[in-house]
Amino acid sequence: MTNTSRTPKKHDSSDDDARADGRPSTMEVLRQARAQFTELTGLAAESVSSFERTEDGWTVHIEVLELARVPDTMSLLASYEVDLATDGELTGYRRVRRYERGRADARTGGRS
């Protein structure tokens, strides 16, 4: 005889498209930011390097490949600051940094 009882599936809140209050979850905001930015600029997001909830919505930093080169370590990447409203709609963006993939940030302060 087989056991037909099922254990309830664990609920992962990161899979929710919206919370009970109607606002999108953090993961949904990040997905929307990447998708809207890509659609608007034609640049595919490689990663989200940071995000922060603000009074007006969200600020997300997205890293993109701007110019592919050989070797790959010489490719040019850029960091864009993307602003979103509380509902996840993109309200603005700006490039804040452009750099070679293989180059680390210069140290500021401290010991070398």
Side-chain angles (χ1 to χ4, degrees):
M1 181 173 202
T2 59
N3 183 353
T4 58
S5 66
R6 293 182 171 207
T7 55
K9 184 179 177 182
K10 286 187 179 180
H11 182 73
D12 183 0
S13 63
S14 66
D15 291 338
D16 288 347
D17 284 349
R19 297 192 282 182
D21 61 5
R23 293 185 310 171
S25 68
T26 301
M27 290 306 298
E28 185 59 21
V29 168
L30 296 179
R31 282 187 210 103
Q32 287 179 10
R34 290 176 63 142
Q36 291 176 78
F37 179 81
T38 297
E39 184 177 352
L40 186 63
T41 65
L43 299 169
E46 288 210 347
S47 65
V48 172
S49 57
S50 70
F51 67 93
E52 174 182 19
R53 189 184 305 259
T54 65
E55 285 183 19
D56 300 326
W58 297 83
T59 297
V60 178
H61 284 96
I62 296 177
E63 306 301 315
V64 300
L65 174 64
E66 286 200 333
L67 180 61
R69 290 187 174 159
V70 176
D72 190 46
T73 55
M74 297 302 292
S75 293
L76 291 179
L77 285 91
S79 180
Y80 284 82
E81 185 176 278
V82 178
D83 296 320
L84 300 121
T86 54
D87 64 357
E89 283 295 313
L90 191 143
T91 59
Y93 74 91
R94 66 198 131 287
R95 184 171 63 192
V96 294
R97 183 170 164 247
R98 195 170 192 206
Y99 58 98
E100 291 176 343
R101 184 183 298 273
R103 190 172 302 253
D105 286 339
R107 289 187 110 171
T108 56
R111 297 158 85 178
S112 299

